[in-house]
Amino acid sequence: MDRIAAMNVFVRVVEAGTFTKAADTLDLPNATVTRLIQKLEEDLKVRLLYRTTRSLTVTPEGAIYYERVVRLLADLADIESSTTHARAKPSGRIRVDTAAAIGTLVLVPALADFYRMYPDVEIELDIGNKRSDVIAEGIDCAIRAGEVDEQFLVARQIGSFGFTTCATPAFLDTHGTPTSPDQLRELPTVGMIPSRGGRSLSFRFSHDDQKGDLTLNHRLVVNDTNAYLAAGLASLGIIQAPAYSVRDAVAAGQLVPLLEDWQPPANPVHVIYAPNRYLSAKVRVFIDWIVELFERDEQLKRR
């Protein structure tokens, strides 16, 4: 048995939660994954996993083994990365997952700069507002806004962003300018839902020691960032959007910031990836580039 291969399979099974998901991401037959785990347990003379037809649980011994194997595989990856020519000239395809606004407004406009430095790296960019399963879907890294609560993942904060509550001059001429968050209950607003069928996000505000989320009855709710901005620009209602997504419209006078004394707390942005996954040179340079990209932007840099 290839012990390193068996260790990789074991770690992927623990992180994926099922033999089937692990087999899919490793592109291996289910029977091969099962056989490698069984042989690993036989060689170690200890049960690593409790498994039934409905569930999979890591044993106490399996949890200890997992932690040690993850560190070992990471050390092996570092050794290989530092001794191969790939670091000098990264190449190959990487898969990156991100939300629509960050992908469309931040990453894509800057990618020409990345390709000038790393012309042999190919990027498959999955853009959407639904959180993908990094492990099960074989994603190399994901860029996430908000808090990260996934287990077994490395989360590195790369930036943060504030929010801008705003509306068009025409809308304000018709409906008036609110001076407090509570007045929004009496004005047309547009809501954003993170995925199809979800609840619309609350408007968030903070002033001195006062913090709170405001749930509103929106006249329109959308689940797409571009549609949300378009609704605001069409004077359909007041929106609360990431500051970086409306800065051009604000600078052009198309949108007017509101309630600026009630700025909500900044939202953190993380890059996440599996701890055992070999961070090849192509993934490592992409993450380094993302960190620098956010750091250069005053509205996105880490706070």
Side-chain angles (χ1 to χ4, degrees):
M1 178 184 64
D2 184 335
R3 179 57 61 87
I4 300 299
M7 289 177 175
N8 270 306
V9 168
F10 169 70
V11 169
R12 187 62 60 85
V13 168
V14 172
E15 294 174 346
T18 70
F19 278 61
T20 300
K21 283 185 178 180
D24 288 343
T25 61
L26 291 166
D27 198 22
L28 291 173
N30 230 330
T32 300
V33 171
T34 301
R35 186 173 64 252
L36 282 170
I37 296 298
Q38 289 174 341
K39 188 66 171 64
L40 187 60
E41 290 178 324
E42 290 173 7
D43 286 359
L44 295 172
K45 295 181 174 56
V46 66
R47 181 175 290 278
L48 301 172
L49 302 166
Y50 292 124
R51 46 201 180 275
T52 68
T53 55
R54 294 186 177 182
S55 65
L56 182 147
T57 306
V58 183
T59 67
E61 295 81 5
I64 294 172
Y65 186 72
Y66 168 83
E67 295 295 336
R68 292 179 176 176
V69 166
V70 164
R71 290 196 296 269
L72 174 61
L73 293 175
D75 288 341
L76 288 174
D78 284 340
I79 292 170
E80 291 180 3
S81 180
S82 63
T83 56
T84 62
H85 179 67
R87 175 173 285 275
K89 191 176 182 182
S91 63
R93 179 180 296 272
I94 61 174
R95 189 175 177 194
V96 180
D97 179 83
T98 186
I102 292 176
T104 303
L105 301 174
V106 180
L107 297 189
V108 171
L111 277 177
D113 176 59
F114 176 82
Y115 285 128
R116 276 193 291 271
M117 295 185 291
Y118 307 107
D120 297 323
V121 176
E122 302 170 7
I123 298 173
E124 180 181 333
L125 189 59
D126 295 335
I127 294 179
N129 291 322
K130 179 180 73 67
R131 291 201 169 193
S132 302
D133 188 325
V134 172
I135 302 296
E137 298 181 34
I139 294 168
D140 290 293
C141 66
I143 301 160
R144 297 269 174 82
E147 299 299 331
V148 177
D149 54 10
E150 289 98 335
Q151 293 182 332
F152 304 119
L153 293 177
V154 174
R156 176 182 177 185
Q157 186 175 351
I158 59 174
S160 62
F161 60 85
F163 292 86
T164 300
T165 306
C166 54
T168 63
F171 176 91
L172 298 176
D173 287 343
T174 301
H175 298 278
T177 300
T179 57
S180 71
D182 282 339
Q183 292 178 2
L184 296 182
R185 300 183 189 277
E186 309 301 324
L187 296 171
T189 56
V190 180
M192 174 73 182
I193 56 177
S195 59
R196 188 177 299 278
R199 292 185 176 183
S200 60
L201 300 173
S202 300
F203 278 33
R204 304 173 65 200
F205 295 99
S206 178
H207 181 67
D208 295 333
D209 294 331
Q210 302 178 56
K211 294 182 181 180
D213 294 349
L214 190 63
T215 301
L216 299 167
N217 293 319
H218 304 293
R219 64 158 28 171
L220 172 67
V221 177
V222 300
N223 69 340
D224 175 78
T225 306
N226 293 326
Y228 190 64
L229 178 57
L233 291 171
S235 299
L236 295 179
I238 295 171
I239 63 174
Q240 187 178 78
Y244 68 85
S245 70
V246 297
R247 56 184 164 190
D248 290 344
V250 169
Q254 297 172 296
L255 291 172
V256 178
L258 306 171
L259 304 172
E260 294 185 272
D261 290 336
W262 292 82
Q263 287 291 333
N267 217 22
V269 182
H270 297 85
V271 59
I272 65 173
Y273 51 90
N276 69 299
R277 179 159 295 176
Y278 168 46
L279 270 188
S280 60
K282 59 189 177 184
V283 178
R284 196 181 300 273
V285 297
F286 180 79
I287 291 176
D288 290 343
W289 176 76
I290 286 292
V291 170
E292 184 180 350
L293 178 65
F294 274 71
E295 187 60 30
R296 291 198 308 261
D297 193 313
E298 286 299 322
Q299 289 190 327
L300 291 170
K301 67 189 303 182
R302 180 175 176 175
R303 295 174 178 81

